[in-house]
Amino acid sequence: MSFNPQTFLTVSKELMSGSTEAHYRSTINRAYYGAFGYIRNRLAIFVDHGSVHQAVISSLRRALSVQKRQAAARLEKLFEKRKEADYEHRREVKAHNCHFWIKEAEDIIKLFDQAEKANI
């Protein structure tokens, strides 16, 4: 049985019931990995060297589809937020920001799926 990375979005929403900054930081992390993992698997991008994150974003950037290029830009912003949440401990993360990033991850997946449905 294979794992569906979109379930990370479910976990992200569950983490929002927590009330600590660790919950909020983990919420952003899981939201990113939900969108990233879903798209990476659909594009079948797996790399031995370098950043798989950048490989996915670059692949989307090179696409003919406007939706995929938009998804690339938004996924890159979410990637930066995920790194901030994971590593920049002096910056405070608040709950209201997490709701935005969960929705953003969902919207990135929708943009990608729209392009895939249109076969572009």
Side-chain angles (χ1 to χ4, degrees):
M1 184 170 127
S2 67
F3 176 73
N4 179 356
Q6 280 185 291
T7 58
F8 282 138
L9 284 169
T10 303
V11 171
S12 186
K13 292 173 186 174
E14 290 169 358
L15 285 164
M16 284 304 302
S17 66
S19 60
T20 69
E21 196 165 337
H23 288 100
Y24 307 149
R25 290 173 181 277
S26 298
T27 293
I28 294 169
N29 179 291
R30 296 297 86 191
Y32 168 74
Y33 277 104
F36 163 76
Y38 175 78
I39 293 170
R40 183 195 69 186
N41 288 350
R42 295 287 306 274
L43 294 175
I45 295 175
F46 303 94
V47 299
D48 291 329
H49 297 29
S51 170
V52 69
H53 303 276
Q54 289 306 317
V56 169
I57 292 166
S58 293
S59 176
L60 291 171
R61 259 197 217 117
R62 290 188 308 268
L64 297 176
S65 161
V66 172
Q67 290 100 336
K68 284 185 180 177
R69 291 193 309 269
Q70 289 172 341
R74 292 169 77 173
L75 186 63
E76 188 167 38
K77 284 181 187 172
L78 182 52
F79 179 50
E80 292 303 318
K81 267 303 165 195
R82 194 274 305 167
K83 290 190 295 185
E84 282 178 22
D86 286 350
Y87 303 116
E88 294 187 26
H89 300 151
R90 292 179 187 208
R91 285 190 180 187
E92 186 177 8
V93 176
K94 298 190 183 261
H96 68 274
N97 293 329
C98 296
H99 293 290
F100 172 82
W101 293 111
I102 291 170
K103 173 97 171 67
E104 185 69 356
E106 293 171 333
D107 289 348
I108 291 165
I109 290 170
K110 285 178 190 170
L111 273 172
F112 178 82
D113 283 345
Q114 287 170 356
E116 289 289 292
K117 270 188 179 175
N119 202 22
I120 50 177

